[in-house]
Amino acid sequence: MTGSAPRNDRLVLVGGTIHDPATGRDGVAADIWIEAGRIVAPPADPAGFVRVDAGGLVVMPGGVDLHSHVAGPKVAAGRRIAPQLARGRRGDTPAAIPTIHATGALYAALGYTTVFDAAIAPAAAAIAHRELAELPILDKGIYLLAADRADVLAAAGKADAAELRRLVAATIQASRGWAVKVANPGGPAFWKRGRRGDHHDLDTPLPGESLTPRILLERLAEAVTDLGLPHPLHVHTANLGLPGNWRTLHETMTSLAGRRAHLAHVQFHSYSGGDLDEDSFGSGVAPLAECFNRCDDLTADVGQVLFGGTVAMTGDSAAAEHLAHATGVPLVSHDGHLEGGCGILPIAYKEKNLIHAWQWAIGLEWFLSVTDPWRLCLSTDHPNGAHFTAYPHLMRLLGDAAFRREALARIHPRVRSRSPLSSIDREYSLQELCIVSRAAPARIAGLPRKGQLGVGADADIVCYRPDRDLAAMFAMPAKVFKAGVLVAEDGQLRATPAGQTLTAQPASPAA
Ligand SMILES: [Zn+2]
């Protein structure tokens, strides 16, 4: 027999059923050839490749979580204030704030191979990078809260964009970021002047400035695009969590339309109603989804709430204070090294709680109302809406209308009767689940070699056992490969290679 001897960095996955939306493969039989961590074309001489039997398995690219919170001081504070959730009591599933090592292990065993922390203050970037270096297996990156600093706000107030571009580029380089996040545009400036948790609209000037949140959003989005960063401006708009805030998100969308931007955790920004009237609280998704479906340049992640205990953490201190006031739970307010802030508090979402039931229904309504899954990402804003290990449960809610109806029957009766969810029968196909959990987030995050299984892609590959119970199917992949290395099998870790830190290189900021 001729040919080279098998090498353990050369594999072929044989006989799997491929779901790879980026290359148009929707449940077709194909073999996948892997060499040196990448997917390669079928070789002329296959003799050196180790065969891995994927017969009967569903094969997808590795999961990509483009909005999570896994590192930095806020996550550490979450572990301190809710140690019972950090350890995971018997019967609890699973720890809300796992250790950094457990975070990587749990994500990998779930079939996820890339994660971004969506809110790191530049001054906390060094410690976040040190922690992420300890997060095994996954590739990872951080979004920098680059819009809280006084010099950035001052530059954003000038019509000449050169200074803003220069500051954003310098922040990305110095703090080794992947993207720019704005959390409540201008919010820290209001917060520092004692404007706590009250509404401000996009046209309220920042204290002592002519700059408004709207102008800040528009100029930041343009600066990020001009700098050629892989991911557009990551926008957590104003008034998170407040009744009636759907109008703010709607204004944000219309203001940013025509520019590239990503809208974070839209569920938390889609509420109707007024402050003093809990009865009027409800869903504002219909007009928002209608607007979103028309705005081709905008993308979003949902920030789904699922029932159970977790820890909320947000760089939007005003929102955290509002939540602490509403729930009576003490708040840890972390100053974010004087640039911004961060509020952290435990929360338990309950089926029979009117507001929590609305949040659950509103997130699902978003998923089921967006027509183009390529512009939508599956997220729970881990750990804010739910733990990332609840993603398989969420996938079943999306892909199994009967399962969703059973869940709907258990929630607060007023939400059950008023939410449009009860009249939506749409079910996500496997291909659509694949899009929102990997293909779309990879494309939106700006990772051309991820979220797909074409030649040249990173060999981040997951093999699932098909199961009518989609939660069971997605909770325990049969095999997970990261850069061609078998890292997990049936929920057991097989290897813990170090992942890469993804950092962006801004284009020259010169005009
Ligand atoms: Zn978040």
Side-chain angles (χ1 to χ4, degrees):
M1 190 171 160
T2 59
S4 49
R7 287 186 354 216
N8 61 8
D9 70 341
R10 287 172 163 190
L11 304 172
V12 55
L13 294 184
V14 180
T17 302
I18 310 295
H19 284 266
D20 184 23
T23 59
R25 290 179 288 182
D26 181 1
V28 299
D31 299 339
I32 304 239
W33 299 83
I34 300 165
E35 182 167 11
R38 296 278 188 90
I39 294 172
V40 295
D45 176 8
F49 287 73
V50 177
R51 280 173 62 94
V52 177
D53 183 13
L57 301 178
V58 166
V59 179
M60 293 185 180
V64 175
D65 197 345
L66 67 44
H67 190 114
S68 185
H69 300 284
V70 294
K74 65 190 182 301
V75 175
R79 291 191 193 100
R80 284 198 291 277
I81 63 165
Q84 79 284 10
L85 293 174
R87 284 195 300 273
R89 291 172 301 203
R90 267 166 72 91
D92 275 2
T93 53
I97 314 290
T99 63
I100 196 78
H101 190 275
T103 300
L106 287 166
Y107 259 121
L110 207 57
Y112 273 73
T113 47
T114 306
V115 65
F116 290 97
D117 189 297
I120 300 289
I127 185 83
H129 279 303
R130 283 185 62 174
E131 286 178 30
L132 286 175
E134 302 292 321
L135 188 149
I137 303 171
L138 282 77
D139 292 336
K140 52 255 172 170
I142 63 174
Y143 304 162
L144 292 165
L145 292 162
D148 291 341
R149 280 173 16 196
D151 57 348
V152 172
L153 295 176
K158 296 176 188 160
D160 177 4
E163 175 75 352
L164 182 62
R165 281 200 299 272
R166 190 186 66 74
L167 288 171
V168 170
T171 303
I172 287 284
Q173 278 177 321
S175 301
R176 299 171 61 217
W178 183 256
V180 175
K181 160 84 170 290
V182 56
N184 188 3
F190 292 110
W191 172 252
K192 286 172 191 169
R193 299 297 181 95
R195 296 271 304 268
R196 299 182 164 213
D198 55 349
H199 284 77
H200 62 266
D201 66 32
L202 294 185
D203 297 314
T204 308
L206 272 59
E209 313 253 2
S210 58
L211 181 67
T212 62
R214 185 190 304 275
I215 294 171
L216 176 60
L217 279 174
E218 292 174 356
R219 290 187 176 159
L220 272 175
E222 284 164 10
V224 167
T225 299
D226 290 348
L227 290 168
L229 295 182
H231 181 50
L233 180 66
H234 199 89
V235 178
H236 151 163
T237 196
N239 298 327
L240 177 141
L242 300 181
N245 67 2
W246 75 271
R247 286 187 185 81
T248 310
L249 179 54
H250 194 268
E251 270 192 61
T252 305
M253 285 189 201
T254 52
S255 190
L256 290 171
R259 299 171 175 87
R260 286 183 68 221
H262 179 86
L263 304 161
H265 38 64
V266 288
Q267 177 279 128
F268 287 110
H269 301 271
S270 302
Y271 308 146
S272 64
D275 250 344
L276 300 173
D277 179 13
E278 202 177 61
D279 287 352
S280 71
F281 193 88
S283 170
V285 174
L288 291 170
E290 194 267 331
C291 180
F292 182 80
N293 284 334
R294 278 188 286 111
C295 295
D296 289 343
D297 294 316
L298 300 179
T299 58
D301 63 88
V302 170
Q304 177 69 36
V305 158
L306 297 166
F307 300 115
T310 187
V311 178
M313 52 184 63
T314 174
D316 182 344
S317 295
E321 207 230 26
H322 179 83
L323 183 60
H325 184 73
T327 59
V329 173
L331 164 75
V332 173
S333 187
H334 165 61
D335 69 11
H337 303 262
L338 303 177
E339 291 167 338
C342 192
I344 304 123
L345 70 165
I347 184 164
Y349 294 105
K350 299 191 173 83
E351 289 174 333
K352 301 293 191 219
N353 177 295
L354 178 71
I355 304 296
H356 298 167
W358 267 122
Q359 292 179 303
W360 178 87
I362 285 167
L364 293 175
E365 191 187 345
W366 257 110
F367 276 112
L368 298 166
S369 303
V370 169
T371 49
D372 178 5
W374 281 100
R375 293 200 281 126
L376 196 66
C377 303
L378 186 140
S379 77
T380 58
D381 191 14
H382 165 83
N384 284 300
H387 197 280
F388 65 78
T389 49
Y391 288 173
H393 174 82
L394 174 53
M395 291 164 116
R396 188 172 182 195
L397 286 169
L398 298 176
D400 182 342
F403 181 70
R404 191 167 66 234
R405 275 192 294 275
E406 285 169 27
L408 186 64
R410 292 193 299 270
I411 66 171
H412 193 290
R414 193 176 306 151
V415 183
R416 205 163 61 218
S417 62
R418 292 188 186 174
S419 168
L421 199 56
S422 53
S423 59
I424 301 177
D425 292 325
R426 180 177 170 190
E427 286 181 339
Y428 271 49
S429 64
L430 270 188
Q431 193 77 345
E432 287 175 310
L433 289 171
C434 184
I435 291 171
V436 296
S437 61
R438 47 212 85 206
R443 186 174 284 183
I444 293 165
L447 297 166
R449 293 210 314 267
K450 297 193 183 292
Q452 56 119 339
L453 299 174
V455 169
D458 291 345
D460 299 352
I461 305 167
V462 197
C463 306
Y464 297 101
R465 276 189 199 83
D467 193 325
R468 283 170 52 89
D469 178 344
L470 293 169
M473 171 175 163
F474 283 103
M476 195 172 291
K479 295 179 195 303
V480 182
F481 297 88
K482 171 63 176 53
V485 176
L486 179 66
V487 292
E489 222 171 356
D490 300 312
Q492 301 295 315
L493 277 195
R494 293 290 181 238
T496 52
Q500 292 189 6
T501 295
L502 303 162
T503 55
Q505 283 306 320
S508 166

